Amino acid sequence: MHFSQEETAMLHQALLSLYRDQIRPSETDISRRLKELGASEQLQTEFLPFYLSNRNLFVVTQQQNAPAWVELVMAPAWFRGFVDPKDENDPFSSEMWVEFSQFL
């Protein structure tokens, strides 16, 4: 599949937005984020070759019978690490939870 400039930009944007949200980018999460960004259904399902073909920018980890993970070779300077959703230690402040409950 050939990727247009617009699709390439959207693929970068999807990955960076997951980094911003501190979500380790799995194949499933990237597809979901692409859908949120308004990507075509084809791009939502056929994006992995883009990341695989740009190994100077991305690291793709694939395991049998599991979604692939895609990470940046060089994380942005502002990146604070991924949040482990199974970690019992809550990395978020109480203020964030108050704001979140008000948002809901």
Side-chain angles (χ1 to χ4, degrees):
M1 176 177 178
H2 173 72
F3 297 94
S4 69
Q5 280 187 303
E6 182 180 334
E7 290 170 327
T8 298
M10 189 172 284
L11 289 164
H12 280 281
Q13 181 182 2
L15 197 62
L16 283 174
S17 71
L18 290 167
Y19 267 74
R20 212 172 295 109
D21 294 341
Q22 296 180 273
I23 298 170
R24 186 173 179 218
S26 73
E27 194 172 351
T28 305
D29 293 318
I30 295 168
S31 179
R32 192 174 303 128
R33 188 57 54 98
L34 286 168
K35 183 176 183 177
E36 291 171 7
L37 294 171
S40 68
E41 287 188 29
Q42 182 178 10
L43 188 60
Q44 292 172 40
T45 59
E46 298 178 14
F47 60 86
L48 204 53
F50 169 79
Y51 296 115
L52 286 166
S53 66
N54 289 284
R55 292 192 181 270
N56 59 323
L57 299 173
F58 309 105
V59 176
V60 179
T61 306
Q62 294 180 293
Q63 297 177 3
Q64 193 172 11
N65 300 322
W69 298 95
V70 180
E71 296 182 42
L72 294 165
V73 168
M74 180 77 70
W78 48 259
F79 180 59
R80 298 183 324 221
F82 298 119
V83 173
D84 180 356
K86 296 178 184 173
D87 188 350
E88 293 183 19
N89 297 317
D90 185 358
F92 302 106
S93 68
S94 57
E95 292 83 17
M96 191 280 314
W97 289 115
V98 169
E99 290 177 19
F100 180 66
S101 65
Q102 291 171 348
F103 171 77
L104 295 177

